[in-house]
């Protein structure tokens, strides 16, 4: 048996809790100083890279809306969390004041001082929550303003559907064999377009009337907002159904279609993983919007402020991550 084998067999039976004793003392590691100068020197370039990335995110209308969506609802959720964290302190102070007032005779005068109120830290947290909520409200107004032009997009959506229908009719007349029309998918497209047009028209009317551009009465504005949200809820429900129908149809594809163009098994697998990832994100976004659209379509609503912020942050975070990844250099 060699010397190496003897050493290995002898140390294999030792407990693993303590290190094996050594005759030579272990060298004392020399602590390395923090590279503060390097960090400071690299800070401007890191800031420049971050700001350049943000600028790329804001170069398209969809990028602007995604960024505003992310900031709007994460700030709203943060405000709700901060208010919830300070609520026990406020309730405790209120109980103390009520107990003090109950112990005093009826003729006594109760004078409040700053010491009787919640701490200065609680007041600062509440002030931050107030500002975050105001920021969220401002961004909501900005997003509604940017959606005023949404009817233009819907016009071109309608144009594409009409041209596709005309093209199919023309091909049928000339006896050209075209791809078989998916009647379910076609019906879904027309239904979604119809709901979007009504949603956008009602939202535009209510928003412009609230700014004095149109003359709808406040009660009419309120009804328009509720019905706008109901048509949005219809669109979201149809979109969830469309996504599951698309997944079902994709699963029925024959092998020849999957491997069309000489694709290898590895390429097909990579495409499937990418498609599944995109599909799951779309489902998650729309499932998050679903209870929110129902909440906004009801007079009294269904959800609390924290639930609204949390649910709406889900599509905001998903879309912002995708946008950040797409705009990376």
């Amino acid at each position: 048996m060699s010397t190496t084998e003897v050493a290995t067999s002898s140390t294999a039976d030792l407990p693993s809790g303590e290190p094996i004793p050594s005759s030579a003392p272990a060298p004392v590691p020399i602590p390395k100083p923090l590279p503060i100068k390097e960090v400071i020197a690299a800070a401007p370039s890191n800031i420049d890279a971050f700001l350049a990335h943000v600028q790329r995110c804001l170069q398209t209308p969809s990028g602007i809306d995604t960024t505003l969506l992310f900031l709007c609802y994460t700030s709203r959720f943060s405000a709700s969390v901060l208010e919830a964290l300070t609520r026990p302190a406020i309730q405790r102070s209120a109980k103390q004041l009520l107990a003090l007032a109950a112990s005093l005779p009826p003729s006594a005068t109760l004078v409040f001082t700053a010491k009787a109120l919640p701490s200065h830290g609680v007041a600062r947290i509440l002030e931050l929550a107030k500002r975050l909520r105001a920021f969220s409200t401002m961004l909501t107004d900005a997003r509604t303003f940017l959606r005023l032009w949404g009817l233009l997009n819907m016009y071109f959506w309608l144009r594409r559907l009409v041209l596709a229908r005309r093209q199919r009719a023309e091909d049928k007349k000339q006896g050209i064999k075209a791809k078989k029309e998916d009647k379910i998918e076609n019906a879904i497209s027309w239904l979604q377009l119809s709901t979007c047009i009504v949603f956008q028209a009602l939202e535009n009317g209510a928003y412009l009337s609230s700014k004095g551009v149109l003359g709808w009465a406040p009660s009419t504005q309120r009804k328009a907002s509720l019905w706008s949200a109901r048509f949005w809820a219809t669109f979201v429900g149809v979109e969830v159904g469309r996504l599951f129908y698309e997944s079902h149809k994709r699963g029925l594809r024959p092998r020849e279609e999957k491997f069309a163009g000489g694709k290898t098994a590895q390429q097909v697998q990579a495409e499937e993983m990418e498609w599944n990832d995109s599909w799951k994100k779309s489902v998650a976004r729309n499932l998050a919007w679903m209870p929110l659209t129902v909440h906004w379509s009801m007079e009294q609503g269904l959800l609390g402020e924290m639930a609204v912020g949390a649910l709406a942050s889900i599509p905001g975070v998903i879309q912002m991550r995708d946008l950040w990844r797409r705009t990376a250099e």
Side-chain angles (χ1 to χ4, degrees):
M1 184 180 293
S2 67
T3 307
T4 305
E5 291 172 340
V6 171
T8 303
S9 62
S10 61
T11 57
D13 297 328
L14 290 173
S16 59
E18 295 293 333
I20 301 172
S22 174
S23 57
V28 179
I30 301 173
K32 295 182 179 180
L34 289 174
I36 297 177
K37 290 183 179 180
E38 288 80 355
V39 172
I40 295 174
S45 61
N46 292 336
I47 294 172
D48 285 349
F50 174 77
L51 294 178
H53 201 160
V54 171
Q55 184 189 33
R56 292 194 296 275
C57 290
L58 299 174
Q59 284 180 342
T60 61
S62 62
I64 293 171
D65 184 67
T66 295
T67 305
L68 295 183
L69 169 67
F70 171 74
L71 293 174
C72 174
Y73 288 108
T74 52
S75 59
R76 186 170 179 173
F77 177 62
S78 300
S80 298
V81 170
L82 291 175
E83 288 170 352
L85 290 174
T86 57
R87 196 169 294 129
I90 295 172
Q91 291 174 345
R92 190 165 53 250
S93 297
K95 287 179 181 178
Q96 291 173 354
L97 289 173
L98 290 173
L100 177 62
S103 65
L104 295 174
S107 59
T109 302
L110 190 62
V111 179
F112 291 99
T113 63
K115 292 182 179 180
L117 299 175
S119 66
H120 187 62
V122 171
R124 286 198 170 199
I125 292 174
L126 287 174
E127 181 66 22
L128 176 59
K130 177 183 174 183
R131 296 189 183 282
L132 285 172
R133 199 169 293 285
F135 180 62
S136 174
T137 303
M138 181 189 71
L139 293 180
T140 298
D141 191 78
R143 293 186 67 233
T144 306
F145 174 78
L146 291 174
R147 280 199 302 269
L148 285 173
W149 325 111
L151 286 173
L152 288 174
N153 294 330
M154 291 166 200
Y155 163 75
F156 287 103
W157 184 3
L158 173 62
R159 189 169 176 271
R160 284 195 300 270
L161 290 178
V162 170
L163 290 176
R165 174 178 284 185
R166 287 180 180 175
Q167 185 64 46
R168 284 194 299 268
E170 190 67 26
D171 291 345
K172 192 174 182 181
K173 276 184 183 181
Q174 297 179 6
I176 300 174
K177 188 177 180 181
K179 186 178 179 182
K180 188 178 178 182
E181 178 188 1
D182 189 328
K183 293 184 178 180
I184 296 177
E185 193 172 298
N186 196 37
I188 288 173
S189 296
W190 281 101
L191 178 57
Q192 286 187 313
L193 174 61
S194 303
T195 57
C196 280
I197 289 173
V198 179
F199 152 72
Q200 195 62 67
L202 290 173
E203 185 187 67
N204 286 1
Y207 180 75
L208 292 173
S209 297
S210 70
K211 302 300 180 183
V213 178
L214 296 181
W216 294 4
S219 59
T220 306
Q221 295 174 32
R222 178 61 183 161
K223 287 179 182 178
S225 297
L226 290 173
W227 278 103
S228 173
R230 287 164 189 165
F231 277 96
W232 183 16
T234 304
F235 170 84
V236 171
V238 174
E239 177 65 10
V240 171
R242 186 195 68 79
L243 287 168
F244 280 96
Y245 174 70
E246 185 182 18
S247 176
H248 170 72
K249 193 170 71 168
R250 188 175 177 85
L252 297 177
R253 291 181 306 156
R255 179 181 175 83
E256 293 77 19
E257 186 178 343
K258 291 181 182 179
F259 288 86
K263 294 177 185 174
T264 63
Q266 192 173 9
Q267 288 174 324
V268 171
Q269 186 179 11
E271 283 183 3
E272 285 297 311
M273 289 179 63
E274 185 178 354
W275 188 90
N276 286 329
D277 183 56
S278 177
W279 183 85
K280 288 175 184 177
K281 288 177 184 177
S282 296
V283 171
R285 285 201 315 269
N286 285 280
L287 289 179
W289 282 127
M290 190 175 286
L292 290 169
T293 55
V294 175
H295 165 75
W296 286 321
S297 66
M298 300 177 68
E299 284 281 357
Q300 303 300 324
L302 282 174
L303 307 170
E305 271 296 304
M306 187 177 292
V308 170
L311 284 170
S313 294
I314 293 172
V317 170
I318 291 173
Q319 290 176 220
M320 192 67 211
R321 285 184 63 187
D322 286 345
L323 175 65
W324 194 262
R325 191 177 296 113
R326 286 196 310 270
T327 52
E329 286 186 342

